[in-house]
Amino acid sequence: MARQAPDAGGLLLRLHTGATLVFLYAPIVVLVVFSFTSDSFGVRWTGFTLQWYERLFRDERLIGATLNTLLVATISTVIATVIGTMLAFAMERYRFRGRTGLEALLYVPIVIPEIVMALALLGFFALAFGLIDAWFGVRPVMGLATVIIAHVAFTISFVVVVVRTSLKSFDLRLEEAAADLGADPWQTFRHITLPLILPGIIGGALLGFTLSLDDFIITFFTTGPGTSLLPVEVYGQVKRAITPKINALSTLMLVASITLVFLSQFVQRRGRTA
Amino acid sequence: MKQLSRFVLIVASLMLLVACGGTAPTTPTAAPSSDAPATDGVDREQLAQELRVYNWTDYIDPALLDAFEQEYGVRVIVDNYDANEDMIAKVRAGGSGYDIVVPSDYAVETMWRDDLLQEINRTWLPNLGNLEPSLLDKYFDPGNRYSVPYMYGITGIAYHRSAFPDGITSWAALFDPVQLERVRGQVSMLDDERETPGAALRYLGHSLNATDAAAIAEATALLQAQTEYLAAYNSSDVNRKLSSGEYLIAHAWSGQAMQARNGLGDEFAGNPEIAFVIPNEGGAIWMDNMAILKESPNAYTAHVFIDFLMRPEIAAQNAGYIGYLTPNAAALALLPDSIKALYAEGFAPDATVMQRLEWMVRDEQSTVFTELWTAVKGQ
Amino acid sequence: MAIGGITAAGARSGARRRLAMLLAPGLFWLIAFFAIPLVVVLAYSVAVPGPTGRVEWRFTLENYQRLFGETLYVSAYVRSLWVGLLTTLICLVAGYPLALFIVRQPPAWRAALLFLILIPFWTNFLVRTYAWMIILSNNGIVNTAIQSLGLPRQILYPGEGAVLVGLVYGQLPFMVLPLVAALDRFDFTLMEAAADLGASRRRAFWRIMLPLTAPGIAAGSVLVFIPTVGQFVVSDLLGGAKVDFLGNLLQRLFTRSNPPNWPLGSAMAVIFMVVLTVAIVAYFRATAEERR
C-alpha cells in the first residue's frame, strides 16, 4: 500500500509509537544496566562489574534450564502454529456439523485458569503413563516431551485466534480467480492464500513462542526429575533473591535475539541486491 | 511478498540457532571413587546410580551433593518446589519419579495417611542418634516411622535494631496501630493463611490453633485493621528486603531473618542491624522432614543419602549454608562461629523460648483459616 | 461461504477429505488435553472436599451455593473483571495507533518493528517485573525525576497504579499482534475513497476503518482480557499481595490452603470459564454484526 504523506496525524502516530517504545524498553534498560552493577541486590548502581556474567557461565543448571526452555518454546511453537493454522482454516472456510461446539472448545485453553489446566494435565499424564505401564511394562517419566505437549496444547488456541483474524478480512475472490486460472487448491493455498495470511501466522507463532518462554505453572506441573526450565528456576530464586545473574542472562538473550533480527534483515537485503 | 519471506527468514534463523544450541547439557557423572573406604557399613553393590530428590528451593548446600557423589558414585538430582501442596499434588498423581521428598510437619501426616511414604528402616540410619530427642516423635509422625527431621524453624519478628533501639518484646509492634504508624509502609507480614492469623491469635492471647468463632472473628478484625500499614504480605524475599532496608520490621521465619543478617552465599550481603525475636505472647515452630516415597525403587540409596546428611559435620555445613536450624544435636558444636552467635542471640529457641512455641495443627477445622484469610484479603 | 474457493461440484468429496485432514490433529489435541480435563473439572465441582485434600465423590451443589452466596467471592470476581476491563481498554487505546503505525511502514521496517515490540518479552517475566519495582520504588527513577522537579515524592509502589502499569506492560503485545494482522489486510484506499466522497477523517475512521478491523480488536481484547482476569503474580509483586484477585483464590484453593479444596476451586473455575466463554462469544457476535 502506498505510504501516505506525513501530516499532523502521521506525526502524532510517530510520537505515540516513540512513547510506547520508551514504555516497552524502560524496564529492559534498567534490567540491562543492573546486570553490570556491583550491588548484589541488583537495585542500585554501585559500580561496574562483569561478575554476574562470570557466575552465569559457571551456573550449569541455569544454562541448561535456559536451553531447555528455548527448545521447548521452539518445538511447541512450530507444532502449534501448523496445527493452529489448519484449524483456523477449517473454522473460517468450512461449514460442518459440530462447528459451534468446536468454536467453544477452541476458547477453552484461553479461558481455562492455568492452575486448573496444569493439574488436569498432570492427572492426565499420570493416568496415561499408568496405562502404558500396565500394557507395555514400561513407565514413561515426565520431562521435556510432556512439557512440549502441554505447551502445544495451550498455544494452539492463541495461534487460531490470530490466524482467523487474517482469514476473516481475506478477499475470497483472489482464490476464486486462481482457481479459474487452473490452479489446484494446494497451488492456490501455496501461492495466494499463504503469503497473504502470513503476517497473521507469524503473529500467532510469536505470541505462542512468547507465552511458552514465560509459562511457569503448567511447566512446573508437567516437568519431571532433572528437567529444569528457566521460569521454574527463576520462580524458585524469588524465595531467596533474584540476583543480577538473571539480569545478565536476560541481557544475553536480548542481545542474541536483536542480533538475529538484524542479521536476517541484512542477509535479506544483500540477497535482494545481489 | 518480499517482506513475507523476510518474516520467514527471521523466524527460521531464530529457530535454527535455538535448535542447534538446544540439546540439554549432560553433566558428566563422576566415576565412583574406588579408593573410598568400604568399611562404613554401606553396601555399595546395592546403591543406585542416581537419586532424585524433590526439595524446597535452595534448601541444600550443592557442595554436599558433589561430596556425596564423590564418596558413593551416586549422582543426586535435585528439583525444587515452593509449597507442600504443589509437591503433594505431583506425588499423588503417581509416577513422579522422585525418591526423597521434604514435606513439612503436617504434610508428613497427610502423606503417610495417604499411603504415599514408605517406612524408614532404622538399621540403615546409624546417624539417627545424632538428632535432638525433643524434636523426634512429634504429632505428625509418632515414633518417626516415615520421616526424619531435616531442618526446623521458628516464626517471629525480624527488625532493624536502629529503628527499634529498645528491642521488641510483643506482637504489638506489628498489630498496635499506634506503634505501626511510625513504620507505615515499611512493614511486611508473611503471606500465609496459617502463620499470619497465628501471629494475630497469639497476640490476642489464643492458641494459634484456635478455631472457635469468637477468636477467629477477633483475629480477622485485627488483621483487617493492620493491612493499611503494610507494604506487603510477603513470604518470599523478606530476607533481602529486610537486608536492603525496604522493610524495617517483618513477620518472618527465623531462617529468613538469619539470611538477612548474615547474607546469602555470594548472592547478597547481610545487614548487621537485623535482629530476631519470639515475642512474649509466643510464636510458631515448624519442621521440614526427609521422607522416602512409597513408589521409590531406590530406598536403600535414599537411606544412605539421608544418613549422610545426618553426619554431624555434614549437617553443620548444610545448616550454615541454608540458614535454618538444624535438629542435629551433634552438629551444633561444629557450626560456624557466626551462626553459633546468632543461635545464642535468639535466632534459635532456648529452653524458655521453646515453652512459648506452638506447632500448627491441620485438621478438619482448619478450613476456617482459608475463610479467614479470604476475608482479610477480600476487603 | 459454503465451501470456500471450491466451485466445481465434483470437488465436494475432496473438500470433505481436506476438512477432515485440517481438523484431525487439532481436534485430537483439543479433545485429549482439554475436553477430558474439562469433564474432570466439572465432576470435581460437584464433589466434596476430603480432609486431606483428596476429593470425595459424593454429589453436592454446595460449592456453587457458597460461591454465589458469599460476598467475598463475588467481590473478587468483580474486582478481577474490573481490572481486566481497564487493562484491555488501555491496551486498545495504546495498541491501535501503534499497530496503525506499523502497517503503514515500508515492508522492510514492519517485520523489524514487530520484533522490536516482542523482544522485551523474551526476557524473564519476573526480572521485568522487578525492573518495574526499581523504576517505581521510593528512590526509583520516576521519583527521582519527580523530586528533581521540586514535587513531593509519590508512593507509586506497591500500589494499584503499579499493578496497572505492570498489567498493561505485560499484555500490550497481545493486543498489538492481532491488530497488526487485521490492519495489514485493511484496504487503505477505502479511506481515500471516503475522503473523496466528502467524509471527514474522523468519520471515515469510525465508519470504515474501525468496523473493518473489528475482528482484530475483538481478538486482541480477548487475548488481553482473559489472562488479566486470571492473573495474580503481577498484583502480588507490584501491589503487595494485599487484596485477592480471582487468580489468588484459585491458586490458594488448589495448592496453597491446607487442606486444599479442589471442589470449591473447580466450581470457581467452571463459573469463570462459563462467564468468559459467554462474554467472548457474545463479543465476537457483536463485532461480526458491526462488520456487516
Side-chain angles (χ1 to χ4, degrees), chain B residues 256-310:
Chain B
Q256 295 173 323
M258 204 181 274
Q259 291 159 358
R261 168 73 172 268
N262 272 2
L264 196 59
D266 56 1
E267 290 174 8
F268 65 77
N271 187 330
E273 282 296 309
I274 303 293
F276 179 81
V277 66
I278 295 290
N280 290 336
E281 298 95 337
I285 179 170
W286 46 266
M287 189 154 64
D288 294 325
N289 312 271
M290 291 181 285
I292 304 170
L293 289 184
K294 189 138 208 168
E295 62 188 16
S296 162
N298 305 319
Y300 182 72
T301 316
H303 278 87
V304 172
F305 184 65
I306 291 173
D307 198 56
F308 171 79
L309 290 177
M310 286 192 296

Side-chain angles (χ1 to χ4, degrees), chain B residues 333-369:
Chain B
L334 304 172
L335 286 170
D337 289 341
S338 60
I339 304 275
K340 271 192 222 161
L342 292 188
Y343 272 51
E345 208 183 281
F347 286 74
D350 56 23
T352 44
V353 171
M354 214 43 138
Q355 301 292 314
R356 306 205 294 265
L357 298 173
E358 221 184 331
W359 295 87
M360 275 181 293
V361 179
R362 271 80 168 173
D363 56 25
E364 251 111 294
Q365 308 303 316
S366 304
T367 49
V368 298
F369 290 105

Side-chain angles (χ1 to χ4, degrees), chain B residues 316-328:
Chain B
Q317 183 182 338
N318 205 19
Y321 174 88
I322 300 172
Y324 279 93
L325 309 172
T326 178
N328 196 311

